[in-house]
Amino acid sequence: MFSENGLLPIIAILPFLGALVPGLMIRAGRNACASFTAIPTVLALVLLASLAPGVMSGTVYRAEITWLPQLQLSASFFLDGLGLLFAFMILGVGLLITLYARFYLSSKDPMGQFYTYLLLFQGAMLGIVLSDNILLLLIFWELTSLSSFLLIGYWKHLPEGRQGARMALTVTGAGGLAMIGGMLILGDIVGSYQLTDILAAGDQVKASAWYAPAVILILLGAFTKSAQFPFHFWLPHAMAAPTPVSAYLHSATMVKAGVFLMARMWPALAGTDLWFYVVASVGLVTMVLGAIIALFKDDLKALLAFSTVSHLGLLTMLLGFGTPEAAIAAVFHIINHLIFKAALFMTAGIVDHETGTRDIKRLGGLAKVMPITAAIGTVAALSMAGFPLFNGFLSKEAMLHEASHTSWWENPWIVGALATLGALFSVAYSLRFIFHVFAGPVRDDYPAKPHDPGFGMWAAPAFLCVFVIAIGVAPFLATPVVKMAAEAVTGEDLSFYLKIWHGVNTALLMSVAAIIGGVILLVAHRPLERLWAVMPRPEAKTIFDSLITATQQVMRWLTGMLHQGAISRYLAIFVAATVALGLIAFSGGAMGPATRDLTPVPPVAVVGWVLLMAAVAMVVLFHRMRFRALVVIGVIGLMISVGFVYLSAPDLALTQISVETVTILLLLLALHFLPKQSPHESGPARRAGDATLAVIAGVAVAALAYSFMMRGFSTISDYHLANSKSGGGGTNVVNVILVDFRGYDTYGEIIVLGIAGLCIFALMETLLNGPAGRKLRKAEFGPDRSRDRHPLMMVVATRVMLPIALMVGVYIFLRGHNQPGGGFVAGLIFSIALLMQYMASGFAWTTRRQRIEYHALIGFGVVIAGLTGVGSWLAGRPFLTSNFGYFEIPPIEEFELATAMLFDLGVFLCVLGAVMLMLYSLSRLARHAGETVNNEPMDYDPSRSVQASSSAEKGA
Amino acid sequence: MELLVASAVGALTAGGVYLILRLRAFTVILGLALLSYAVNIFLFSTGRLAVGKPPVLDGYTVGDFSAYTDPLPQALVLTAIVISFGMTAVLVMFALGAYLEAGDDKIDMDGPDQPDRQITATTPQDPESDGITFDFEPRERDA
């Protein structure tokens, strides 16, 4: 049993795997390409066939691969009668189309692409009919839209192809979006996204207050996909696709997806008034309208397209009736329509291929020159018309029977009358397909010299015609299949017999009326056509195009309005919106009373606070004097560091103070090349407005922070405190969190930092090679630059401090696991130590003594940290689990070694590399701008002779 | 103490917001620096204030953690400080690039950002010819 269930995912995945092959196999020739396309299809068919007996006897196969059980996301598949029928249709017709396309496509068409798209589509379609999870079904649903877009637009050089593909994608994609909403509502009502659960909960669904929106949204998806009025217009335009695509997508499979969905959801949704009036009415209108338009189309494929629209309407209407008998008729007609319509499309393709035109007005008399094609086309078209002894007759009879027994808005005859009208036009266009194409005298003005194609091309439609007649003559052959699928649709046991002769009843009379009327219409086609031509009617494509253009214009206008180029305005809107949202959130929830006491304030804290507030005020007031503002910013950073020390955050204090130093250095470097002052640009009104906004935001944030701090909270940190020493091997909990508990986050963050460094390097590279670089080379510096750019005092001082600073860095690094410190801080301290050398002796002099590239440091850092994480896999533990042990090497005291330290080394290297790379990149600007390279560490070296130094100065 | 911290966060936010609404890139960077301070202190303060209770285990006792402040916000803020440095550095690079390419460090464009706007040469000058001069603040010279 298990192995049989396990086949389902394999069947579903086969076409997708197969899709990888044709693109490669086309190099081995067209036959090889087509054969390899057929292999996965055949394989899937064989596997499916092995399950068929079980399904026929009533087993429902299931397979579930759980993915995110919390969100009820799982790849679950199931196979019942309906799924089996559709899967057979998809794979079977797919195989025939593969054969047909091999001979249809010309040598100029990229066949590998075609077969890849075809298999992608086949996989998506198969996924829809096999899915048990509706979320999975939605994914496959969207995949069919996408892959059909590729197929419709396959002939990229044809504008109709591209436009048709876009239109199909827009309409079906929009419907798909609506359906996502509907499916989510449905899942929410039932409390499960498993289709089997939903189907079992039909009463619950229908009783829900959300039933109507769910039904409407899901139907929007089904109607757009199945080209129901008023969304029918995309289907004829999709006929720009190669004929194999039309035959496959637009007769057999994709357009049936909507019908399939309605049939699938039938137990859960059907049977209510809403369902009946929406589904049956839309289906009826579509059926009649499609049939009428089809009669007046001269393009063979357009005729077939509108006939498909009409037949899909018929199916929709039947499902809308909501009775088990109607469902049986629908299932039977799905099979019949598939068989004759695919054959007809292939016939149309053959005619087009051989004569060079699809225009009925230019055809006629083909029966004599293409007898085989004519025979196939005639059989299939007679079936479409609903003549007895062809399969179409049986299901059409059943449909008419159901229609005549349905009353609409207490009107017992309107449905029957309209259905007869639809059938009548159906007879007319089917006969037109036969008589205007194949009958009549042979013409001498065909664009090409027509003759029957090779066996490969007519084999597939001929094969289908065998079924047309077999089912038509001996309907009991189809009974088990119809029964199996219809029982799966309705979820009830059904007993019925399909037969040709039911006696003289209403349906037969309606059928006879339709045939007689159809013949009359065909005879009177010419005057009717003139009437049709002068009749005003809306052209769907024009409406669609103007709708799209209008949407585009509105969106462009809106984008222009919102995105008018002023970042300061966006930021103002952003701040205002954030404050407003905060206020809404605040007013919505009840805030509990303050539960904590104020912490006492020592006098020194007040001093620090005053300094900080004054510094903020000064930065704001003097922001135009950029150097001054920068210096004052340093005061703020310093005060914050001191605050961290006082408030029990030594690690933060260390980090803040070192980052502060590096940031100020960076900004100073940048300011060297930027204007030193900001001009007065905004008027007093604007400044006042901005200040108001700023004050409101500030007060809001202050209030938020205050209310946070005054209330107690529950924290998960006790876990970290409890396990820091025993699990992570360190007493500095902050560091253990960084390198162990939340090591993954830290790993991500050092990568981000590394990327930022590389990004700056890359930007600078581009900048220097662009026009800015040329400008820089010509830049002139003011005459007031310092003459003593590398002063003796500074060189000596930094030289003395270098080893001390490095030692402090190493110390901070080593103790980090147990005392404040760690890789982040150590990296920053190293950076500062190196930067001092840059400042003292100049960029070039220092770089010349550098052995390792900063890029490499970043890389080493990330790799070391990553390998440390991977190392824990070797010990059979999750990524980045740290391990530690205590060692004793005399004469040193017992000490601890932890893998976390190795990880911290990675952090250290990455921080060092990134910070240095950033500053290095900025200082390249200076060198580019004509900064001289000094060979000596300092400009004036007292240990050298006066002459030597003066000549060096001349050189500089 | 809570009042002092909250008011400091508020002041930093207000100053930061005012500065990012200015029109020059460098000022906006200063504003973002202030905002980063504000956000970091705010995040830190969600662990509540504690004096003399650094989260460094000492005489390890099981079950009683009242002697230590909440370490988690600190760990978050530590990386946030370093990342905000990275962000500032990238922004500085943008500002520099924009200034060197365009000749000023304004942040606003003159018109809407239309995707199909024709790219026209507004200044048909030779790009080689317009060198720029770096101005320095006037300084008293002693020699």
Side-chain angles (χ1 to χ4, degrees):
Chain A
M1 240 356 239
F2 172 77
S3 63
E4 285 179 342
N5 285 329
L7 287 181
L8 287 180
I10 298 175
I11 295 174
I13 202 91
L14 264 174
F16 290 110
L17 290 179
L20 301 171
V21 181
L24 293 172
M25 288 316 292
I26 188 66
R27 286 155 202 264
R30 291 152 66 84
N31 284 330
C33 183
S35 312
F36 273 88
T37 309
I39 288 174
T41 316
V42 171
L43 218 56
L45 265 175
V46 169
L47 293 180
L48 203 63
S50 73
L51 297 178
V55 176
M56 298 283 266
S57 63
T59 318
V60 175
Y61 292 103
R62 255 173 242 286
E64 181 161 14
I65 303 163
T66 49
W67 178 38
L68 280 181
Q70 296 86 348
L71 290 175
Q72 300 201 25
L73 278 175
S74 64
S76 47
F77 300 94
F78 87 124
L79 184 72
D80 65 350
L82 185 67
L84 183 71
L85 171 68
F86 267 89
F88 255 117
M89 288 178 3
I90 292 159
L91 291 169
V93 179
L95 198 59
L96 295 179
I97 294 294
T98 308
L99 170 70
Y100 179 78
R102 156 67 189 87
F103 297 97
Y104 180 87
L105 292 179
S106 80
S107 53
K108 277 181 240 121
D109 298 321
M111 189 184 260
Q113 265 180 37
F114 181 84
Y115 279 130
T116 299
Y117 297 162
L118 198 73
L119 281 177
L120 273 182
F121 172 79
Q122 185 177 306
M125 219 34 232
L126 206 56
I128 290 184
V129 302
L130 294 181
S131 296
D132 189 9
N133 187 301
I134 53 174
L135 301 174
L136 185 68
L137 189 151
L138 285 172
I139 293 172
F140 285 121
W141 187 273
E142 297 297 328
L143 269 181
T144 59
S145 294
L146 290 176
S147 52
S148 75
F149 171 78
L150 293 172
L151 281 170
I152 298 170
Y154 172 69
W155 279 328
K156 301 187 216 23
H157 55 280
L158 297 181
E160 306 89 59
R162 298 196 299 266
Q163 287 165 13
R166 274 207 301 273
M167 188 191 271
L169 185 67
T170 311
V171 176
T172 56
L177 279 181
M179 201 174 86
I180 290 177
M183 288 294 198
L184 291 180
I185 295 177
L186 194 62
D188 198 49
I189 295 174
V190 180
S192 162
Y193 290 107
Q194 293 299 106
L195 203 49
T196 29
D197 295 341
I198 292 172
L199 297 185
D203 294 331
Q204 187 191 343
V205 173
K206 285 172 212 166
S208 162
W210 285 92
Y211 170 72
V215 165
I216 299 290
L217 287 173
I218 291 175
L219 284 179
L220 272 176
F223 285 173
T224 47
K225 201 73 152 189
S226 281
Q228 295 299 296
F229 178 82
F231 309 111
H232 62 285
F233 57 89
W234 68 264
L235 186 57
H237 289 286
M239 290 298 145
T243 303
V245 173
S246 311
Y248 193 31
L249 272 64
H250 306 125
S251 75
T253 53
M254 188 177 88
V255 291
K256 293 265 173 64
V259 174
F260 168 80
L261 194 80
M262 285 186 270
R264 182 87 280 177
M265 292 292 176
W266 199 85
L269 302 178
T272 60
D273 275 355
L274 176 75
W275 177 268
F276 172 75
Y277 282 110
V278 173
V279 180
S281 315
V282 167
L284 189 61
V285 170
T286 312
M287 176 172 88
V288 177
L289 208 68
I292 295 174
I293 301 175
L295 181 60
F296 298 104
K297 286 290 169 189
D298 286 333
D299 180 356
L300 272 183
K301 277 176 80 177
L303 185 151
L304 291 177
F306 277 104
S307 129
T308 305
V309 168
S310 168
H311 281 270
L312 290 169
L314 186 159
L315 291 171
T316 306
M317 179 185 76
L318 281 175
L319 290 169
F321 287 164
T323 60
E325 294 76 25
I328 296 169
V331 168
F332 194 26
H333 196 68
I334 287 173
I335 302 172
N336 293 334
H337 177 248
L338 162 92
I339 294 172
F340 67 69
K341 191 51 71 63
L344 282 170
F345 263 113
M346 292 192 216
T347 311
I350 293 173
V351 169
D352 184 18
H353 202 260
E354 298 303 324
T355 66
T357 181
R358 300 197 306 246
D359 190 344
I360 298 178
K361 291 238 158 57
R362 301 189 59 184
L363 294 168
L366 289 182
K368 297 200 179 62
V369 284
M370 304 170 69
I372 303 174
T373 314
I376 294 170
T378 307
V379 168
L382 284 176
S383 174
M384 176 160 77
F387 276 85
L389 298 185
F390 297 99
N391 64 350
F393 169 75
L394 301 163
S395 44
K396 182 166 282 187
E397 205 66 350
M399 179 277 285
L400 289 172
H401 180 78
E402 292 308 315
S404 65
H405 286 82
T406 305
S407 57
W408 194 88
W409 219 267
E410 303 191 359
N411 183 329
W413 53 266
I414 179 120
V415 176
L418 284 173
T420 313
L421 184 69
L424 191 152
F425 273 93
S426 179
V427 171
Y429 67 68
S430 302
L431 293 179
R432 183 165 182 240
F433 185 92
I434 299 170
F435 285 98
H436 288 190
V437 175
F438 298 114
V442 180
R443 299 166 64 145
D444 51 9
D445 60 344
Y446 305 118
K449 203 167 156 34
H451 54 81
D452 268 323
F455 172 75
M457 210 156 168
W458 61 259
F463 178 73
L464 290 168
C465 278
V466 172
F467 284 94
V468 167
I469 295 172
I471 297 176
V473 175
F476 58 85
L477 289 177
T479 308
V481 177
V482 174
K483 184 167 150 57
M484 165 191 85
E487 283 181 349
V489 170
T490 56
E492 301 167 22
D493 280 334
L494 304 166
S495 74
F496 59 90
Y497 298 99
L498 301 172
K499 51 186 179 181
I500 304 174
W501 183 248
H502 290 269
V504 179
N505 56 11
T506 332
L508 188 69
L509 295 178
M510 287 158 81
S511 229
V512 171
I515 289 176
I516 296 171
V519 172
I520 295 172
L521 275 186
L522 185 68
V523 171
H525 186 260
R526 198 152 290 194
L528 281 175
E529 196 175 31
R530 277 198 292 275
L531 186 69
W532 177 258
V534 295
M535 229 164 60
R537 51 183 190 279
E539 183 56 50
K541 186 169 188 318
T542 330
I543 299 172
F544 177 81
D545 284 347
S546 52
L547 209 66
I548 294 289
T549 318
T551 317
Q552 253 176 2
Q553 273 164 355
V554 170
M555 286 305 137
R556 189 162 295 160
W557 172 81
L558 198 68
T559 313
M561 283 280 295
L562 295 174
H563 207 195
Q564 39 67 289
I567 300 182
S568 53
R569 205 182 74 149
Y570 311 155
L571 287 173
I573 293 172
F574 168 71
V575 171
T578 313
V579 172
L581 281 177
L583 279 179
I584 292 169
F586 181 76
S587 61
M591 193 168 64
T595 54
R596 289 169 71 97
D597 297 328
L598 283 171
T599 320
V601 182
V604 69
V606 178
V607 176
W609 179 81
V610 169
L611 275 171
L612 185 128
M613 296 302 254
V616 173
M618 278 170 73
V619 170
V620 172
L621 287 177
F622 301 125
H623 70 88
R624 288 206 174 74
M625 278 79 107
R626 295 179 173 185
F627 268 125
R628 225 165 288 176
L630 209 52
V631 172
V632 182
I633 284 254
V635 176
I636 301 177
L638 206 60
M639 283 308 113
I640 291 174
S641 309
V642 174
F644 282 143
V645 171
Y646 179 68
L647 294 170
S648 319
D651 277 292
L652 292 190
L654 279 172
T655 315
Q656 180 71 57
I657 203 161
S658 39
V659 164
E660 197 57 43
T661 316
V662 180
T663 310
I664 298 288
L665 283 175
L666 174 93
L667 286 171
L668 277 174
L669 254 176
L671 200 50
H672 184 67
F673 296 97
L674 287 170
K676 307 298 170 288
Q677 289 189 323
S678 303
H680 289 264
E681 277 177 315
S682 36
R686 173 160 184 167
R687 284 208 295 272
D690 290 348
T692 317
L693 188 61
V695 168
I696 292 173
V699 170
V701 172
L704 181 68
Y706 184 70
S707 7
F708 253 109
M709 281 185 279
M710 291 313 289
R711 277 155 189 82
F713 67 118
S714 69
T715 170
I716 57 168
S717 297
D718 284 353
Y719 169 81
H720 297 133
L721 288 165
N723 291 293
S724 175
K725 180 72 179 161
S726 53
T731 51
N732 180 6
V733 186
V734 173
N735 183 271
V736 175
I737 290 176
L738 284 177
V739 299
D740 190 334
F741 294 127
R742 308 295 305 163
Y744 229 139
D745 294 356
T746 312
Y747 187 50
E749 288 185 73
I750 59 169
I751 291 177
V752 170
L753 197 66
I755 291 173
L758 293 174
C759 170
I760 289 179
F761 178 78
L763 280 171
M764 185 55 86
E765 193 73 26
T766 327
L767 196 68
L768 292 181
N769 291 329
R774 288 196 294 276
K775 277 190 205 170
L776 265 177
R777 273 193 287 278
K778 298 182 181 242
E780 291 164 21
F781 287 89
D784 53 349
R785 307 184 83 191
S786 166
R787 301 276 170 85
D788 191 12
R789 293 194 300 114
H790 307 297
L792 168 71
M793 290 295 279
M794 194 159 163
V795 172
V796 173
T798 54
R799 209 53 53 81
V800 172
M801 276 165 71
L802 179 68
I804 300 174
L806 294 187
M807 198 177 70
V808 169
V810 172
Y811 171 67
I812 290 277
F813 175 77
L814 286 178
R815 74 176 210 153
H817 213 41
N818 292 313
Q819 294 291 318
F824 274 111
V825 185
L828 289 164
I829 291 177
F830 261 67
S831 309
I832 294 169
L834 292 176
L835 281 174
M836 289 194 306
Q837 306 307 311
Y838 276 81
M839 281 159 51
S841 297
F843 161 76
W845 186 87
T846 318
T847 313
R848 213 169 273 172
R849 281 148 188 83
Q850 174 197 346
R851 294 283 158 79
I852 307 171
E853 292 284 330
Y854 297 128
H855 311 67
L857 278 186
I858 298 178
F860 277 129
V862 172
V863 168
I864 289 177
L867 284 181
T868 314
V870 172
S872 54
W873 282 346
L874 297 179
R877 301 218 251 153
F879 190 64
L880 279 176
T881 314
S882 76
N883 200 358
F884 59 96
Y886 297 89
F887 303 90
E888 196 170 354
I889 306 173
I892 314 174
E893 272 184 65
E894 184 191 64
F895 63 96
E896 180 195 354
L897 275 181
T899 57
M901 183 164 277
L902 216 52
F903 181 76
D904 223 10
L905 179 68
V907 173
F908 163 78
L909 288 177
C910 197
V911 170
L912 177 62
V915 172
M916 290 312 290
L917 189 61
M918 289 169 186
L919 292 156
Y920 159 81
S921 301
L922 278 175
S923 46
R924 286 179 69 198
L925 267 183
R927 195 169 177 190
H928 222 74
E931 187 87 61
T932 49
V933 179
N934 52 318
N935 293 314
E936 298 298 321
M938 55 195 107
D939 287 350
Y940 175 68
D941 187 346
S943 63
R944 290 170 159 250
S945 70
V946 178
Q947 273 168 338
S949 72
S950 64
S951 67
E953 202 174 1
K954 271 177 205 157
Chain B
M1 198 68 207
E2 276 81 359
L3 268 176
L4 295 191
V5 173
S7 56
V9 171
L12 285 167
T13 310
V17 167
Y18 181 77
L19 290 183
I20 63 165
L21 297 181
R22 297 303 96 211
L23 300 174
R24 294 287 167 159
F26 192 80
T27 323
V28 172
I29 293 171
L30 290 184
L32 279 174
L34 292 194
L35 278 179
S36 304
Y37 290 139
V39 171
N40 287 343
I41 301 177
F42 175 74
L43 279 182
F44 167 72
S45 76
T46 58
R48 310 304 186 263
L49 304 186
V51 180
K53 296 177 176 178
V56 178
L57 300 179
D58 169 32
Y60 177 62
T61 46
V62 180
D64 179 30
F65 302 115
S66 58
Y68 307 111
T69 185
D70 195 343
L72 199 56
Q74 294 197 14
L76 292 179
V77 172
L78 200 153
T79 47
I81 294 174
V82 179
I83 290 287
S84 60
F85 163 72
M87 183 196 72
T88 309
V90 174
L91 280 178
V92 164
M93 190 60 227
F94 284 164
L96 261 179
Y99 174 68
L100 292 177
E101 296 264 348
D104 65 44
D105 66 343
K106 279 187 193 165
I107 59 164
D108 287 356
M109 296 199 315
D110 296 329
D113 187 10
Q114 288 282 7
D116 52 354
R117 195 167 56 171
Q118 290 291 315
I119 298 164
T120 48
T122 45
T123 46
Q125 291 175 2
D126 176 17
E128 301 283 335
S129 68
D130 54 345
I132 44 174
T133 307
F134 293 105
D135 59 321
F136 281 79
E137 266 184 303
R139 209 185 297 169
E140 273 98 328
R141 288 222 234 133
D142 46 4

